[in-house]
Amino acid sequence: MHVLVTGGAGFIGSHYVRMLLQAPGSSGLTVTVLDALTYAGNTANLADLAGDRRLRFRRGDICDRAVLDELLPGVESLVHFAAESHVDRSIEDSDAFLHTNVLGTQRLLDAAVRHGVRKFVHVSTDEVYGSIERGSWPETHPVQPNSPYSASKASSDLLVLACHRTHGLDVGVTRCSNNYGPMQYPEKVIPLFVTRLIDGLTVPLYGDGRNVRDWLHVEDHCRGIELVRTAGRPGEIYNIGGGTELTNLELAERLLAATGADWSSVRRMPDRKGHDLRYSVDWSKVRDELGYRPLHDLATGLAATVRWYQDNPGWWRPLSGSLASAPDRCAVPTGSV
Ligand code: NAD
């Protein structure tokens, strides 16, 4: 079995690659990572797997047809994580979002059809649904994205589903809630807060802090994706949630407590433009059809995540340094994942 993972040097993709290679019975597996190594890509995320001969890394752009024609022959499954993933960056300049998330996804689909890929899993987001005050979105809810990021992801979802209908490619689309865990680029709220608080710096909180996000441990997300890859029905969308909603105020409170800081470390910021109030996915479909359930509870998972950043400053210090020149853009205390 040969699996191609796009964006495998990013946060979630690298956890997924590790899960694949460490799974029992995976000795016959080959994994190719295709990653452009943008600011968010980091080969250090795969460093512990460097000696594994089943893993091949190729730096390249998913929009590059020649690279795809080089890599796709023989690939049976393609799991597509590569994306521009930060809402605030998309509000500033959306070009890279349209390039990678929209054009890149279509180029991958075309190449998958050309080379007879058997399964294509597209990793998307709950943000495509927009914002919901009460209840949770089922997969049948229409997409109503509110940022260039979420609009580009919704567009890519539609392209993936259209490819299934046009060419019969066996696709699965996953829409997950906010991920957290080790090795997340420190512009996203949890690593941003934790790394700044470790260094005794202030952290930025948008608006009134009442925006609600559902938190999902990255390893639970990866298990959900793997269930969709191996057992999901062709052409279906599966929501993947963590079952733990918090306001940003509640999240900030927990992170302050975990790092021994208090509210004097919090700077209030004007709200993000078009800031979605609440995301909430109904993930009963992936639970009932594929047996998914999150294994990490938030309190334990968050404590272990904070400990990981405390124990691994060598991973994040070089990255946080590059953020220092743009502190406001990196002020993203919401689920802009
Ligand atoms: P990330 O930003 O950490 O990683 C993205 C990876 O894609 C990086 O390694 C980057 O180098 C690579 N990449 C970007 N453009 C590329 C291109 N043109 N060609 C090849 N590689 C390219 O993102 P993440 O948080 O790991 O998210 C992975 C996927 O999950 C994304 O599709 C994102 O939309 C989705 N998602 C993430 C979250 C979350 O909480 N992080 C939530 C919902 C959905």
Side-chain angles (χ1 to χ4, degrees):
M1 163 71 76
H2 185 183
V3 182
L4 182 92
V5 179
T6 72
F11 167 48
I12 307 171
S14 61
H15 281 275
Y16 179 75
V17 168
R18 184 169 299 98
M19 183 203 67
L20 278 183
L21 292 173
Q22 292 178 351
S26 64
S27 55
L29 192 72
T30 307
V31 177
T32 299
V33 167
L34 170 59
D35 197 298
L37 296 181
T38 66
Y39 77 96
N42 187 349
T43 51
N45 294 350
L46 299 169
D48 58 317
L49 303 170
D52 193 323
R53 300 166 78 97
R54 297 168 300 163
L55 175 63
R56 178 177 167 212
F57 179 81
R58 172 69 154 91
R59 183 173 190 175
D61 187 334
I62 58 168
C63 294
D64 187 335
R65 288 194 184 96
V67 170
L68 299 181
D69 284 338
E70 169 200 323
L71 296 182
L72 262 70
V75 166
E76 287 164 273
S77 292
L78 193 159
V79 185
H80 177 31
F81 293 90
E84 288 295 330
S85 65
H86 194 45
V87 174
D88 282 8
R89 288 181 188 263
S90 80
I91 293 170
E92 271 185 20
D93 182 354
S94 59
D95 280 11
F97 290 76
L98 300 184
H99 174 82
T100 292
N101 301 3
V102 183
L103 180 65
T105 299
Q106 185 60 47
R107 290 264 162 92
L108 270 180
L109 289 163
D110 292 341
V113 170
R114 226 168 27 247
H115 293 286
V117 168
R118 289 225 282 270
K119 184 82 189 185
F120 187 113
V121 179
H122 174 59
V123 179
S124 190
T125 169
D126 58 1
E127 298 193 31
V128 299
Y129 294 119
S131 185
I132 186 167
E133 268 187 47
R134 277 177 300 280
S136 302
W137 297 291
E139 289 83 352
T140 48
H141 195 276
V143 290
Q144 292 176 331
N146 292 320
S147 73
Y149 163 67
S150 53
S152 69
K153 292 296 290 189
S155 306
S156 62
D157 292 11
L158 296 179
L159 292 171
V160 172
L161 296 169
C163 184
H164 171 67
R165 289 180 203 112
T166 305
H167 296 287
L169 182 67
D170 179 346
V171 304
V173 174
T174 61
R175 291 178 176 161
C176 68
S177 53
N178 281 23
N179 284 223
Y180 71 96
M183 293 182 287
Q184 186 170 29
Y185 192 79
E187 66 186 351
K188 306 288 171 62
V189 59
I190 290 180
L192 176 75
F193 269 43
V194 172
T195 57
R196 288 186 67 88
L197 291 169
I198 289 171
D199 276 352
L201 301 172
T202 58
V203 292
L205 187 66
Y206 268 151
D208 63 9
R210 299 198 186 282
N211 306 66
V212 175
R213 300 294 183 260
D214 169 44
W215 290 97
L216 169 66
H217 193 281
V218 63
E219 290 173 2
D220 285 328
H221 182 202
C222 290
R223 282 188 309 99
I225 292 169
E226 189 57 358
L227 286 169
V228 171
R229 183 182 76 81
T230 54
R233 286 185 291 131
E236 292 292 319
I237 301 167
Y238 292 91
N239 291 338
I240 302 176
T244 40
E245 291 188 16
L246 292 180
T247 65
N248 288 330
L249 286 170
E250 289 166 332
L251 178 67
E253 178 70 47
R254 288 184 186 222
L255 297 177
L256 291 170
T259 52
D262 60 35
W263 282 95
S264 64
S265 298
V266 177
R267 258 180 303 128
R268 295 299 188 134
M269 300 278 295
D271 210 354
R272 165 191 286 161
K273 288 182 186 172
H275 201 173
D276 290 329
L277 180 65
R278 177 170 173 263
Y279 301 139
S280 181
V281 283
D282 173 349
W283 45 274
S284 54
K285 179 174 169 181
V286 72
R287 181 195 63 205
D288 297 346
E289 277 188 25
L290 306 180
Y292 166 82
R293 70 184 169 86
L295 297 180
H296 290 267
D297 74 88
L298 185 64
T300 316
L302 209 51
T305 299
V306 170
R307 252 194 326 277
W308 188 87
Y309 289 101
Q310 286 167 332
D311 292 345
N312 292 279
W315 182 89
W316 54 266
R317 273 200 202 287
L319 308 175
S320 298
S322 68
L323 295 177
S325 58
D328 286 347
R329 186 184 57 197
C330 300
V332 185
T334 67
S336 79
V337 279

